Amino acid sequence: MSNYYNKSDHLFLLIKTLSKSEKINFKIYVNRIKKNKNSKFMKLFNIMSKINSYNEKKILDSTIISKVQLSNTKAHLYKQILVSLKLQETNKENHDIQIREYLDFAKILYNKGLYIQSLKFLEKAKIIARSYEFKTILLELVEFEKMIESQHITRSLYSRSGELSAESKELIERVQCNNALSNLSLELYGLYLKVGYVRNEKDKIFIETYFRTNLPKFDIKKISFYEKLFLYQAQVWYHFIRQDFIMCYRSSYKWIELFKNNKKAKRIAPVSYLKGYHYLLDTLFYLNHYSKFTYIFNQFENEVKNGEILINGNTRILIFMYTYTNRINKHYMEGNFSEGVKKIIPSLFTDFKKICNHLDSHYIMILYYKIACLYFGSGDNNNAIRYLSKVMKNKKKNLRQDLQCSARLLHLIACYESGLDENMDQKIQSAYKFFIQMDDWYIVQKKIIHFFKNLGNVYPHQIKSQFKKLKDKLIKYYDHPYEKRTFLYLDIISWINSKIENKSVETIIKEKFIRNKISENY
């Protein structure tokens, strides 16, 4: 699962994202000027479209472009592709691009002194902006209209000035509320990406105070679609960080319902809609509510299959991530790890190759960890170690510290299970140092590390009793407000039970799933 393209070359990446129709349209756009047909930038485009990896030597050998000219030629080609794409996007459902085009026309007409014609384009743009709640752009349009009206006598200025002033004032208030909620949502998401869940009382007080002091005043009956969206997003991150999954479920459900009650929003903001689905499913996974999880997941997959979700570069990545992580989660809940490896891994690798270059570090790390868990549950410890090592090699220490810590614990367990324990002391010391470095040295981690450290001094016939003692120590913290977060990523109790009962992890989790399903039906 290595990257197929050179991430450092932005032009090459852009060309590789172009669809067949986009390439055809680009050539039509360029060839409208005859001399462009044999231009250096078109020769560069043709060769870069054919090669599978960025190779500067091959490009220079295949074209008449000199090394000195290459940088400028690439920059020119990059700009021409973007202009071509912009022209194509204007004809699609990108209403903000349409608004910007009308605004550009209005400014051109204004500069020519054609004020009435300029105002007509502004009015067209405002109609679209109001319809799709683009308040920031709408405010820009109103401010431009105010400037025209204040400088030039165009109509009944006295009545119009009052209307524009009131409209501008109301928009400023709405934009301020919108910005406050979007900022809160973004900052909470950033905190979640950095540290994950609250680790102690200090973290809990900080996040609760931060949320309360930064939440603006609003009337839920009066706020717009986007204000509600940012509010529900902020609530989801907030409850997620606090590990309050019941409240997280309620907020993520409201998030999805907001889109279902605003059908056109699914086409305008498909990324936000997909993220809402993901957090709703993630919450149900952590709550271990299998029937609701499968119902919502089937709903999600059907919407993707039926074309109800707009497919573009962004949504394609999210659909890939959310489909595969939740397919893995489903097998995890059922205890069908071996079946999951057979059914999921081959197609996952095939699809990964197509978009690997567009996945960020966060997504890749989650994917590797999920794959490792699937292999571990199936009993394939060597492959589990392989993918856990990829997580552990991540150099971004400030990204999902909780996940990186869990990967190190599971790595120790997988090494022990596979018999690769010749350097166990070194591995334990490495994990210990990482927990200290990440300020994640808590009771559950301490007890697990201590257990592995002393395991070398235990006789074979005593091992089972040591596992029983470890279980008794850890089970006390299963529902602890801060210690339980370790169990969210790593079902260590099931692993301990497998050692006590001489069964596979897969069997233990499968049996637990059957018991839970029976109790859920009752």
Short mmCIF file of all heavy atoms in Angstrom, two decimals, residues 122-165:
data_model
loop_
_atom_site.label_atom_id
_atom_site.label_comp_id
_atom_site.label_asym_id
_atom_site.label_seq_id
_atom_site.Cartn_x
_atom_site.Cartn_y
_atom_site.Cartn_z
N LEU A 122 -25.85 41.86 -10.08
CA LEU A 122 -25.79 41.70 -8.63
C LEU A 122 -27.07 41.09 -8.08
O LEU A 122 -27.04 40.24 -7.19
CB LEU A 122 -25.53 43.06 -7.95
CG LEU A 122 -24.10 43.61 -8.02
CD1 LEU A 122 -24.04 44.98 -7.34
CD2 LEU A 122 -23.11 42.66 -7.35
N GLU A 123 -28.20 41.51 -8.63
CA GLU A 123 -29.51 40.98 -8.19
C GLU A 123 -29.62 39.49 -8.51
O GLU A 123 -30.12 38.70 -7.70
CB GLU A 123 -30.65 41.76 -8.85
CG GLU A 123 -32.02 41.49 -8.26
CD GLU A 123 -32.07 41.75 -6.77
OE1 GLU A 123 -31.51 42.76 -6.30
OE2 GLU A 123 -32.66 40.91 -6.06
N LYS A 124 -29.13 39.09 -9.71
CA LYS A 124 -29.14 37.67 -10.08
C LYS A 124 -28.29 36.85 -9.09
O LYS A 124 -28.68 35.77 -8.66
CB LYS A 124 -28.56 37.49 -11.49
CG LYS A 124 -29.49 37.89 -12.62
CD LYS A 124 -28.82 37.61 -13.96
CE LYS A 124 -29.73 38.02 -15.13
NZ LYS A 124 -29.08 37.73 -16.44
N ALA A 125 -27.11 37.41 -8.76
CA ALA A 125 -26.22 36.73 -7.83
C ALA A 125 -26.84 36.63 -6.44
O ALA A 125 -26.73 35.59 -5.77
CB ALA A 125 -24.89 37.47 -7.75
N LYS A 126 -27.54 37.69 -6.01
CA LYS A 126 -28.16 37.70 -4.69
C LYS A 126 -29.28 36.66 -4.58
O LYS A 126 -29.46 36.04 -3.53
CB LYS A 126 -28.71 39.11 -4.38
CG LYS A 126 -27.62 40.11 -3.99
CD LYS A 126 -28.15 41.53 -3.92
CE LYS A 126 -29.11 41.73 -2.78
NZ LYS A 126 -29.58 43.12 -2.71
N ILE A 127 -30.02 36.47 -5.63
CA ILE A 127 -31.11 35.48 -5.63
C ILE A 127 -30.54 34.07 -5.35
O ILE A 127 -31.08 33.32 -4.53
CB ILE A 127 -31.89 35.50 -6.97
CG1 ILE A 127 -32.71 36.79 -7.07
CG2 ILE A 127 -32.80 34.28 -7.10
CD1 ILE A 127 -33.26 37.07 -8.46
N ILE A 128 -29.43 33.74 -6.03
CA ILE A 128 -28.80 32.43 -5.83
C ILE A 128 -28.21 32.34 -4.42
O ILE A 128 -28.38 31.33 -3.72
CB ILE A 128 -27.68 32.18 -6.87
CG1 ILE A 128 -28.24 32.25 -8.29
CG2 ILE A 128 -27.02 30.82 -6.64
CD1 ILE A 128 -27.17 32.24 -9.37
N ALA A 129 -27.54 33.41 -3.98
CA ALA A 129 -26.90 33.41 -2.67
C ALA A 129 -27.93 33.24 -1.54
O ALA A 129 -27.70 32.51 -0.58
CB ALA A 129 -26.12 34.71 -2.46
N ARG A 130 -29.09 33.92 -1.69
CA ARG A 130 -30.15 33.77 -0.67
C ARG A 130 -30.71 32.35 -0.68
O ARG A 130 -30.96 31.75 0.37
CB ARG A 130 -31.28 34.77 -0.94
CG ARG A 130 -30.98 36.20 -0.57
CD ARG A 130 -32.25 37.04 -0.52
NE ARG A 130 -31.94 38.46 -0.55
CZ ARG A 130 -32.00 39.23 -1.63
NH1 ARG A 130 -32.36 38.69 -2.80
NH2 ARG A 130 -31.70 40.50 -1.57
N SER A 131 -30.91 31.82 -1.87
CA SER A 131 -31.52 30.50 -2.03
C SER A 131 -30.67 29.41 -1.38
O SER A 131 -31.20 28.48 -0.78
CB SER A 131 -31.70 30.18 -3.51
OG SER A 131 -32.24 28.90 -3.69
N TYR A 132 -29.33 29.57 -1.47
CA TYR A 132 -28.44 28.53 -0.94
C TYR A 132 -27.71 28.96 0.33
O TYR A 132 -26.75 28.31 0.75
CB TYR A 132 -27.45 28.10 -2.03
CG TYR A 132 -28.14 27.39 -3.18
CD1 TYR A 132 -28.48 28.09 -4.34
CD2 TYR A 132 -28.51 26.06 -3.09
CE1 TYR A 132 -29.15 27.45 -5.39
CE2 TYR A 132 -29.17 25.42 -4.13
CZ TYR A 132 -29.49 26.12 -5.27
OH TYR A 132 -30.15 25.48 -6.30
N GLU A 133 -28.16 30.04 0.93
CA GLU A 133 -27.66 30.52 2.22
C GLU A 133 -26.15 30.79 2.23
O GLU A 133 -25.45 30.49 3.19
CB GLU A 133 -28.01 29.52 3.33
CG GLU A 133 -29.50 29.38 3.56
CD GLU A 133 -29.84 28.57 4.81
OE1 GLU A 133 -28.97 28.45 5.70
OE2 GLU A 133 -30.97 28.08 4.89
N PHE A 134 -25.65 31.37 1.14
CA PHE A 134 -24.25 31.80 1.08
C PHE A 134 -24.17 33.22 1.66
O PHE A 134 -24.04 34.20 0.93
CB PHE A 134 -23.72 31.76 -0.36
CG PHE A 134 -23.69 30.39 -0.97
CD1 PHE A 134 -24.09 30.19 -2.28
CD2 PHE A 134 -23.25 29.29 -0.25
CE1 PHE A 134 -24.05 28.93 -2.87
CE2 PHE A 134 -23.20 28.03 -0.81
CZ PHE A 134 -23.60 27.84 -2.13
N LYS A 135 -24.22 33.30 2.96
CA LYS A 135 -24.36 34.61 3.62
C LYS A 135 -23.13 35.50 3.48
O LYS A 135 -23.24 36.71 3.36
CB LYS A 135 -24.73 34.41 5.08
CG LYS A 135 -26.17 33.93 5.25
CD LYS A 135 -26.58 33.90 6.70
CE LYS A 135 -28.08 33.65 6.81
NZ LYS A 135 -28.52 32.43 6.14
N THR A 136 -21.94 34.89 3.54
CA THR A 136 -20.71 35.70 3.42
C THR A 136 -20.63 36.35 2.04
O THR A 136 -20.30 37.54 1.92
CB THR A 136 -19.47 34.82 3.68
OG1 THR A 136 -19.61 34.17 4.94
CG2 THR A 136 -18.21 35.66 3.69
N ILE A 137 -20.91 35.56 0.99
CA ILE A 137 -20.90 36.10 -0.38
C ILE A 137 -22.03 37.12 -0.54
O ILE A 137 -21.85 38.16 -1.18
CB ILE A 137 -21.05 34.97 -1.43
CG1 ILE A 137 -19.95 33.94 -1.28
CG2 ILE A 137 -21.04 35.55 -2.84
CD1 ILE A 137 -20.06 32.74 -2.22
N LEU A 138 -23.18 36.82 0.07
CA LEU A 138 -24.33 37.73 -0.02
C LEU A 138 -23.99 39.09 0.59
O LEU A 138 -24.34 40.14 0.04
CB LEU A 138 -25.55 37.12 0.69
CG LEU A 138 -26.86 37.90 0.63
CD1 LEU A 138 -27.28 38.19 -0.81
CD2 LEU A 138 -27.97 37.16 1.36
N LEU A 139 -23.27 39.07 1.69
CA LEU A 139 -22.85 40.33 2.33
C LEU A 139 -21.92 41.10 1.40
O LEU A 139 -22.04 42.33 1.29
CB LEU A 139 -22.14 40.02 3.66
CG LEU A 139 -21.65 41.23 4.46
CD1 LEU A 139 -22.80 42.16 4.83
CD2 LEU A 139 -20.91 40.78 5.72
N GLU A 140 -21.02 40.42 0.72
CA GLU A 140 -20.12 41.06 -0.24
C GLU A 140 -20.92 41.71 -1.37
O GLU A 140 -20.61 42.83 -1.80
CB GLU A 140 -19.13 40.03 -0.80
CG GLU A 140 -18.07 40.62 -1.69
CD GLU A 140 -17.11 39.58 -2.25
OE1 GLU A 140 -17.09 38.44 -1.75
OE2 GLU A 140 -16.37 39.92 -3.21
N LEU A 141 -21.95 41.02 -1.84
CA LEU A 141 -22.80 41.54 -2.91
C LEU A 141 -23.55 42.79 -2.46
O LEU A 141 -23.64 43.78 -3.19
CB LEU A 141 -23.81 40.47 -3.35
CG LEU A 141 -23.22 39.20 -4.00
CD1 LEU A 141 -24.30 38.13 -4.13
CD2 LEU A 141 -22.62 39.50 -5.37
N VAL A 142 -24.09 42.74 -1.23
CA VAL A 142 -24.84 43.88 -0.68
C VAL A 142 -23.92 45.09 -0.50
O VAL A 142 -24.31 46.23 -0.81
CB VAL A 142 -25.51 43.50 0.66
CG1 VAL A 142 -26.06 44.73 1.37
CG2 VAL A 142 -26.63 42.49 0.42
N GLU A 143 -22.68 44.84 -0.03
CA GLU A 143 -21.73 45.94 0.18
C GLU A 143 -21.36 46.60 -1.14
O GLU A 143 -21.21 47.82 -1.22
CB GLU A 143 -20.48 45.42 0.90
CG GLU A 143 -20.70 45.03 2.35
CD GLU A 143 -21.23 46.16 3.21
OE1 GLU A 143 -20.66 47.27 3.16
OE2 GLU A 143 -22.25 45.96 3.92
N PHE A 144 -21.23 45.78 -2.19
CA PHE A 144 -20.92 46.33 -3.52
C PHE A 144 -22.11 47.14 -4.03
O PHE A 144 -21.95 48.23 -4.60
CB PHE A 144 -20.57 45.19 -4.47
CG PHE A 144 -20.09 45.67 -5.83
CD1 PHE A 144 -19.25 46.77 -5.96
CD2 PHE A 144 -20.48 45.00 -6.99
CE1 PHE A 144 -18.81 47.20 -7.21
CE2 PHE A 144 -20.04 45.42 -8.24
CZ PHE A 144 -19.21 46.52 -8.35
N GLU A 145 -23.32 46.61 -3.79
CA GLU A 145 -24.53 47.32 -4.21
C GLU A 145 -24.65 48.66 -3.46
O GLU A 145 -25.02 49.68 -4.05
CB GLU A 145 -25.75 46.44 -3.94
CG GLU A 145 -27.04 47.00 -4.53
CD GLU A 145 -28.23 46.08 -4.33
OE1 GLU A 145 -28.08 45.03 -3.67
OE2 GLU A 145 -29.31 46.44 -4.81
N LYS A 146 -24.30 48.66 -2.19
CA LYS A 146 -24.33 49.89 -1.38
C LYS A 146 -23.37 50.93 -1.96
O LYS A 146 -23.69 52.12 -2.03
CB LYS A 146 -23.94 49.59 0.07
CG LYS A 146 -25.07 49.04 0.93
CD LYS A 146 -24.57 48.49 2.25
CE LYS A 146 -23.92 49.53 3.13
NZ LYS A 146 -23.44 48.94 4.41
N MET A 147 -22.20 50.45 -2.35
CA MET A 147 -21.20 51.36 -2.92
C MET A 147 -21.70 52.01 -4.21
O MET A 147 -21.55 53.22 -4.42
CB MET A 147 -19.90 50.59 -3.16
CG MET A 147 -18.71 51.46 -3.56
SD MET A 147 -18.57 51.63 -5.34
CE MET A 147 -18.02 49.98 -5.79
N ILE A 148 -22.35 51.20 -5.08
CA ILE A 148 -22.89 51.74 -6.33
C ILE A 148 -23.98 52.76 -6.05
O ILE A 148 -24.00 53.87 -6.62
CB ILE A 148 -23.44 50.61 -7.24
CG1 ILE A 148 -22.31 49.66 -7.66
CG2 ILE A 148 -24.13 51.18 -8.48
CD1 ILE A 148 -22.79 48.44 -8.43
N GLU A 149 -24.89 52.40 -5.15
CA GLU A 149 -26.02 53.28 -4.82
C GLU A 149 -25.57 54.57 -4.17
O GLU A 149 -26.15 55.63 -4.39
CB GLU A 149 -27.01 52.54 -3.89
CG GLU A 149 -27.73 51.37 -4.53
CD GLU A 149 -28.88 51.81 -5.44
OE1 GLU A 149 -29.00 53.00 -5.72
OE2 GLU A 149 -29.63 50.92 -5.88
N SER A 150 -24.51 54.50 -3.35
CA SER A 150 -24.05 55.70 -2.64
C SER A 150 -23.27 56.66 -3.54
O SER A 150 -23.22 57.86 -3.30
CB SER A 150 -23.17 55.30 -1.45
OG SER A 150 -21.97 54.69 -1.89
N GLN A 151 -22.66 56.13 -4.59
CA GLN A 151 -21.84 56.97 -5.46
C GLN A 151 -22.56 57.45 -6.71
O GLN A 151 -22.16 58.42 -7.33
CB GLN A 151 -20.58 56.20 -5.89
CG GLN A 151 -19.61 55.94 -4.73
CD GLN A 151 -18.35 55.24 -5.20
OE1 GLN A 151 -18.04 55.24 -6.38
NE2 GLN A 151 -17.62 54.65 -4.27
N HIS A 152 -23.62 56.73 -7.09
CA HIS A 152 -24.28 57.05 -8.35
C HIS A 152 -25.79 57.01 -8.19
O HIS A 152 -26.34 56.11 -7.57
CB HIS A 152 -23.85 56.05 -9.44
CG HIS A 152 -22.37 55.89 -9.53
ND1 HIS A 152 -21.57 56.80 -10.19
CD2 HIS A 152 -21.54 54.96 -9.00
CE1 HIS A 152 -20.30 56.42 -10.08
NE2 HIS A 152 -20.27 55.31 -9.35
N ILE A 153 -26.45 57.96 -8.75
CA ILE A 153 -27.91 58.01 -8.68
C ILE A 153 -28.45 57.02 -9.71
O ILE A 153 -28.35 57.23 -10.91
CB ILE A 153 -28.44 59.43 -8.97
CG1 ILE A 153 -27.89 60.40 -7.92
CG2 ILE A 153 -29.97 59.46 -8.98
CD1 ILE A 153 -28.16 61.84 -8.23
N THR A 154 -28.99 55.93 -9.21
CA THR A 154 -29.44 54.88 -10.11
C THR A 154 -30.94 54.66 -10.06
O THR A 154 -31.53 54.17 -10.98
CB THR A 154 -28.76 53.55 -9.75
OG1 THR A 154 -29.06 53.24 -8.38
CG2 THR A 154 -27.26 53.64 -9.94
N ARG A 155 -31.57 54.98 -8.94
CA ARG A 155 -33.02 54.78 -8.77
C ARG A 155 -33.46 55.59 -7.55
O ARG A 155 -32.77 56.50 -7.14
CB ARG A 155 -33.35 53.29 -8.64
CG ARG A 155 -32.63 52.61 -7.50
CD ARG A 155 -32.99 51.13 -7.45
NE ARG A 155 -31.93 50.35 -8.08
CZ ARG A 155 -31.85 49.03 -8.02
NH1 ARG A 155 -32.80 48.35 -7.41
NH2 ARG A 155 -30.86 48.39 -8.59
N SER A 156 -34.55 55.25 -6.93
CA SER A 156 -35.04 55.96 -5.75
C SER A 156 -34.11 55.68 -4.57
O SER A 156 -34.28 54.73 -3.82
CB SER A 156 -36.47 55.50 -5.41
OG SER A 156 -36.93 56.17 -4.27
N LEU A 157 -33.06 56.50 -4.43
CA LEU A 157 -32.00 56.27 -3.46
C LEU A 157 -32.50 56.28 -2.02
O LEU A 157 -32.06 55.49 -1.20
CB LEU A 157 -30.90 57.31 -3.66
CG LEU A 157 -29.68 57.21 -2.73
CD1 LEU A 157 -28.97 55.88 -2.92
CD2 LEU A 157 -28.71 58.35 -2.98
N TYR A 158 -33.45 57.18 -1.70
CA TYR A 158 -33.89 57.34 -0.31
C TYR A 158 -34.51 56.05 0.25
O TYR A 158 -34.18 55.61 1.34
CB TYR A 158 -34.85 58.52 -0.19
CG TYR A 158 -34.19 59.83 -0.52
CD1 TYR A 158 -34.49 60.52 -1.69
CD2 TYR A 158 -33.22 60.36 0.35
CE1 TYR A 158 -33.86 61.72 -2.00
CE2 TYR A 158 -32.58 61.56 0.03
CZ TYR A 158 -32.90 62.23 -1.14
OH TYR A 158 -32.28 63.40 -1.45
N SER A 159 -35.38 55.43 -0.50
CA SER A 159 -36.02 54.19 -0.02
C SER A 159 -35.03 53.02 -0.08
O SER A 159 -35.02 52.15 0.78
CB SER A 159 -37.26 53.87 -0.85
OG SER A 159 -36.89 53.66 -2.21
N ARG A 160 -34.19 53.01 -1.11
CA ARG A 160 -33.26 51.91 -1.31
C ARG A 160 -32.15 51.90 -0.26
O ARG A 160 -31.72 50.83 0.18
CB ARG A 160 -32.66 52.01 -2.72
CG ARG A 160 -31.83 50.81 -3.13
CD ARG A 160 -32.67 49.55 -3.24
NE ARG A 160 -31.84 48.37 -3.44
CZ ARG A 160 -32.08 47.20 -2.90
NH1 ARG A 160 -33.13 47.04 -2.12
NH2 ARG A 160 -31.28 46.18 -3.14
N SER A 161 -31.67 53.05 0.15
CA SER A 161 -30.58 53.12 1.12
C SER A 161 -30.97 52.50 2.46
O SER A 161 -30.18 51.79 3.09
CB SER A 161 -30.14 54.57 1.33
OG SER A 161 -31.22 55.33 1.86
N GLY A 162 -32.21 52.74 2.88
CA GLY A 162 -32.71 52.16 4.14
C GLY A 162 -32.79 50.65 4.07
O GLY A 162 -32.40 49.94 5.00
N GLU A 163 -33.27 50.15 2.92
CA GLU A 163 -33.40 48.70 2.72
C GLU A 163 -32.02 48.02 2.76
O GLU A 163 -31.83 46.99 3.41
CB GLU A 163 -34.06 48.40 1.37
CG GLU A 163 -35.53 48.76 1.30
CD GLU A 163 -36.07 48.64 -0.12
OE1 GLU A 163 -35.40 47.97 -0.95
OE2 GLU A 163 -37.13 49.23 -0.41
N LEU A 164 -31.06 48.64 2.03
CA LEU A 164 -29.72 48.06 1.97
C LEU A 164 -29.02 48.09 3.33
O LEU A 164 -28.33 47.14 3.71
CB LEU A 164 -28.87 48.80 0.94
CG LEU A 164 -29.17 48.50 -0.54
CD1 LEU A 164 -28.40 49.46 -1.43
CD2 LEU A 164 -28.81 47.06 -0.88
N SER A 165 -29.21 49.17 4.05
CA SER A 165 -28.61 49.31 5.38
C SER A 165 -29.13 48.24 6.33
O SER A 165 -28.36 47.59 7.06
CB SER A 165 -28.89 50.70 5.94
OG SER A 165 -28.32 50.84 7.22
#
